[in-house]
């Protein structure tokens, strides 16, 4: 029997524990840049995550438009295919499921953009298939993969984060192998340049990545616990703590 946390809660202990869960307040919200430094923001969206309702996306875009000069929504289109493949789906099945879900998510984003967009701040859609064409992307991803190969602590946390994703994406009854886990890490390596090196990637002074929840991997990255670290000007904020 697998016990999962209730919707909106971070872990099974906060959902079912017999004592009040004490949330760690030293989280990534502290990395929101000062008002005068909010140049660029990336909103991370997930094709299979129910958190990203049309209303939530609209609220995120409106907040981003009010606080930043430029905003975009990142959609991991191709990396989602890799994750489903690692979870036991054939390539054709993974492509079909991903295309259908990405189309559904993009439609919600388009409707949200109509409510949030204006002449001053454009809200752009940024799929990974477009991001990978950015001039510095390949070198930045290579830095992430090098850290994964050479830093055992970083590798351990990456695999732990990947296991969490695979648990919700794998085919029912499919037994994951170590090779599957390594294959699924490609999804994480594809996103980390956005989270760690946004200023260099987009040619801006500061870049902020918004996600709907914290991850231990990200907490440790921004705390400087690995050989690889966020570059100067890179920020991260959790959506439920936006103000």
């Amino acid at each position: 029997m697998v016990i999962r946390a209730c919707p909106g809660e971070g872990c099974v202990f906060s959902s079912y524990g017999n004592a009040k869960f004490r949330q760690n307040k030293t989280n990534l919200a502290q990395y929101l840049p000062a008002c005068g430094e909010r140049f660029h923001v990336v909103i991370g969206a997930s094709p299979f995550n129910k958190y990203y309702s049309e209303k939530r996306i609209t609220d995120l875009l409106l907040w981003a438009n009010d606080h930043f000069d430029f905003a975009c929504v990142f959609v991991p289109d191709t990396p989602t295919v890799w994750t489903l493949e690692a979870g036991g789906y054939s390539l054709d099945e993974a492509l079909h499921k991903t295309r259908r879900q990405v189309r559904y998510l993009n439609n919600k984003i388009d409707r949200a953009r109509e409510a949030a967009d204006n002449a001053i701040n454009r809200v752009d859609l940024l799929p990974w298939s477009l991001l990978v064409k950015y001039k510095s992307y390949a070198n930045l991803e290579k830095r992430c993969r090098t850290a994964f190969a050479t830093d055992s602590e970083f590798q351990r946390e990456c695999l732990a984060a990947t296991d969490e994703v695979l648990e919700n994406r794998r085919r029912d009854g499919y037994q994951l192998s170590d090779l599957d886990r390594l294959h699924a890490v490609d999804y994480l390596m594809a996103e980390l340049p956005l989270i760690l090196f946004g200023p260099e990637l987009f040619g801006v002074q500061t870049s902020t990545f918004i996600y709907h929840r914290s991850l231990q991997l990200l907490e440790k990255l921004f705390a400087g616990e690995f050989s690889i670290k966020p570059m100067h000007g890179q920020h991260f904020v959790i959506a439920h703590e936006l103000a």
Side-chain angles (χ1 to χ4, degrees):
M1 180 178 182
V2 178
I3 300 175
R4 292 187 174 88
C6 295
E9 296 186 346
C11 67
V12 294
F13 300 104
S14 59
S15 296
Y16 307 110
N18 59 6
K20 185 176 180 181
F21 177 69
R22 294 185 178 181
Q23 185 178 10
N24 181 5
K25 296 300 182 182
T26 61
N27 51 47
L28 297 173
Q30 64 183 297
Y31 293 103
L32 181 65
C35 290
E37 300 175 348
R38 300 181 185 182
F39 298 107
H40 178 265
V41 64
V42 179
I43 300 169
S46 175
F48 288 94
N49 196 313
K50 294 181 180 179
Y51 173 86
Y52 295 98
S53 65
E54 186 176 331
K55 182 182 184 306
R56 281 205 175 104
I57 296 172
T58 301
D59 290 343
L60 285 169
L61 294 185
L62 288 170
W63 181 86
N65 253 350
D66 287 341
H67 291 81
F68 290 84
D69 297 324
F70 305 100
C72 62
V73 183
F74 171 69
V75 176
D77 46 6
T78 306
T80 299
V81 176
W82 304 336
T83 301
L84 293 177
E85 278 191 284
Y89 292 93
S90 69
L91 176 57
D92 287 343
E93 289 174 318
L95 284 169
H96 175 72
K97 289 173 69 70
T98 298
R99 286 168 179 166
R100 180 184 61 192
Q101 205 64 26
V102 166
R103 185 164 54 246
Y104 175 59
L105 176 60
N106 286 346
N107 287 337
K108 289 191 290 184
I109 294 171
D110 285 341
R111 291 192 294 269
R113 289 168 72 190
E114 292 178 3
D117 213 355
N118 57 52
I120 298 175
N121 298 327
R122 277 190 59 85
V123 178
D124 293 322
L125 183 64
L126 181 64
W128 180 87
S129 52
L130 175 60
L131 176 70
V132 73
K133 298 177 182 179
Y134 278 49
K135 182 178 180 180
S136 61
Y137 178 84
N139 286 333
L140 297 176
E141 184 185 4
K142 184 178 180 180
R143 288 173 61 182
C144 297
R145 291 185 180 277
T146 299
F148 181 81
T150 58
D151 186 332
S152 60
E153 290 299 320
F154 178 61
Q155 182 181 117
R156 185 178 296 110
E157 289 297 338
C158 286
L159 287 170
T162 298
D163 288 342
E164 187 176 344
V165 173
L166 282 175
E167 183 60 35
N168 298 315
R169 298 287 181 269
R170 65 185 176 90
R171 181 191 288 277
D172 289 343
Y174 183 75
Q175 298 298 315
L176 297 170
S177 68
D178 290 341
L179 188 60
D180 291 328
R181 297 173 71 218
L182 287 173
H183 183 35
V185 168
D186 288 344
Y187 181 105
L188 189 57
M189 295 296 111
E191 287 195 354
L192 280 177
L194 280 167
I195 299 171
L196 298 178
F197 309 120
E200 182 175 345
L201 188 60
F202 298 106
V204 293
Q205 185 173 344
T206 69
S207 182
T208 301
F209 193 90
I210 297 178
Y211 199 51
H212 69 285
R213 67 188 184 95
S214 180
L215 296 171
Q216 183 168 290
L217 169 65
L218 300 180
E219 296 281 356
K220 290 187 174 184
L221 275 167
F222 278 81
E225 296 188 17
F226 305 123
S227 60
I228 188 170
K229 298 176 177 62
M231 69 179 298
H232 179 73
Q234 178 65 58
H235 303 274
F236 197 106
V237 67
I238 307 303
H240 67 79
E241 295 178 348
L242 299 179

